[in-house]
Amino acid sequence: MRFMMLMIPKGYESAAPGAMPPAEKVATMMKYNESLQKAGVLLALNGLHPPSMGTRVSFAGGKPKATDGPFSEAKEVVGGYWMIQVKSKEEAVEWASRCPASDNEVIEVRQVREFSDFPAEFQDAVAGLPEMQARAGQGGGA
């Protein structure tokens, strides 16, 4: 089972462009990342620039509209993520619990929807999904 662990740092929604955590924090997080890798559960990870450097595309009325950040209405934003492959949600939560996060950070653990999770009536609509994931270098499970 694949899970995405989303790091949600409070206050990051208003961080200035180019804001970075302290180097010591990054070093500590790298040790955690190495433990995920050594355990063979890490599939991908990335940190994200602050929303002040992002753009949101909305589709009100069916028309795309791009709006540059910061986004004053945002109360929580994702600061980074890990994609892991584990045997259960409990194991994913255990890995999230080992993260050296601070008091102002939350990790949301979400299971990735696999091809086999789609009901029969959706199978035709998602028929090319496994091949698409394979070409994208993702380890999509069946």
Side-chain angles (χ1 to χ4, degrees), residues 40-63:
V41 299
L42 182 64
L43 298 175
L45 74 162
N46 279 299
L48 302 174
H49 282 283
S52 55
M53 297 175 68
T55 299
R56 287 185 172 182
V57 180
S58 58
F59 298 89
K63 294 184 178 182

Side-chain angles (χ1 to χ4, degrees), residues 109-125:
V109 178
R110 306 262 307 269
Q111 186 174 356
V112 175
R113 189 184 311 256
E114 306 290 356
F115 179 76
S116 60
D117 294 330
F118 288 96
E121 63 268 24
F122 288 79
Q123 295 295 317
D124 285 343

Side-chain angles (χ1 to χ4, degrees), residues 63-86:
K63 294 184 178 182
K65 178 184 174 190
T67 305
D68 290 335
F71 312 107
S72 59
E73 72 281 5
K75 294 188 168 110
E76 293 182 330
V77 297
V78 175
Y81 67 90
W82 299 265
M83 177 80 81
I84 61 173
Q85 182 141 14
V86 293

Side-chain angles (χ1 to χ4, degrees), residues 9 12 15 18-27 29 47-50 79 102 105:
Y12 203 52
M20 294 282 296
E24 310 84 50
K25 173 77 173 173
V26 174
M29 199 59 76
L48 302 174
H49 282 283
S102 62
E105 296 172 315

